[in-house]
Amino acid sequence: MNDTMEAGAPPASFSHASMLDILARADAEGIKAVAEELLDDVGAVEVLVNRTGLAMLPYTDTVHNTAFHLGEVLMAEAHIRLSDHGVEGYGAVVGRDLEHAMAIAVIDASFAGKIGKTGIETFLTSEQRRQIQDDDIRLRKVEATRVRMETF
């Protein structure tokens, strides 16, 4: 655990990329709750895109280091503009949950416009902590099944 993860520490400052990384793995209901709290402060929301569709799923062959597409994946995406603040937000999730994608877009735009930033950073800090713990548990389970082979 790093210094920003200590109990009682103030919320850390997150880059846009790290915020999106955390939101991509965060619980949908938690994201929707945060977005709901932000709606009173963001003002008018102009919806630019709100749709589901298929997107190509890229993958890189690690042996030959070449990119190819595994296939298509169903995505929900939302692109919004907060007219009162002059910022835009984007959210995309695997599946057809448009409300989830819209909630990510609201958080993204709010973060860019510094609206409710403390609440967003508090949510991101707790989600990051949970994700680190989940990853640690998963890696411990993988390590427990590792087979050590000796060279003949």
Side-chain angles (χ1 to χ4, degrees):
M1 221 183 256
N2 61 34
D3 294 335
T4 61
M5 292 291 169
E6 296 302 320
S13 181
F14 293 91
S15 69
H16 188 244
S18 64
M19 178 200 63
L20 293 176
D21 285 344
I22 294 167
L23 289 177
R25 295 181 52 206
D27 175 58
E29 296 309 313
I31 290 172
K32 291 175 187 179
V34 170
E36 190 69 35
E37 291 176 13
L38 293 167
L39 286 178
D40 289 336
D41 298 328
V42 297
V45 176
E46 180 184 350
V47 178
L48 305 174
V49 173
N50 188 27
R51 64 181 174 203
T52 58
L54 295 174
M56 296 301 289
L57 180 62
Y59 190 76
T60 302
D61 177 356
T62 56
V63 175
H64 299 289
N65 200 29
T66 56
F68 67 95
H69 291 98
L70 284 172
E72 295 175 327
V73 62
L74 179 63
M75 300 286 297
E77 72 173 330
H79 184 190
I80 64 167
R81 179 179 299 128
L82 303 181
S83 306
D84 297 347
H85 302 279
V87 294
E88 293 185 5
Y90 180 80
V93 296
V94 174
R96 60 178 72 235
D97 191 350
L98 289 169
E99 192 175 299
H100 185 184
M102 186 67 72
I104 292 175
V106 167
I107 293 171
D108 184 33
S110 298
F111 189 81
K114 297 181 180 18
I115 304 161
K117 193 169 182 181
T118 302
I120 294 170
E121 287 182 338
T122 300
F123 173 75
L124 292 173
T125 299
S126 70
E127 268 301 307
Q128 185 179 47
R129 184 178 298 120
R130 183 193 62 77
Q131 291 171 9
I132 288 170
Q133 289 171 347
D134 288 351
D135 289 348
D136 185 55
I137 291 168
R138 185 175 298 110
L139 290 173
R140 287 175 190 269
K141 288 179 180 177
V142 168
E143 183 62 29
T145 64
R146 186 177 306 262
V147 176
R148 302 202 190 279
M149 304 295 280
E150 292 182 13
T151 305
F152 292 100

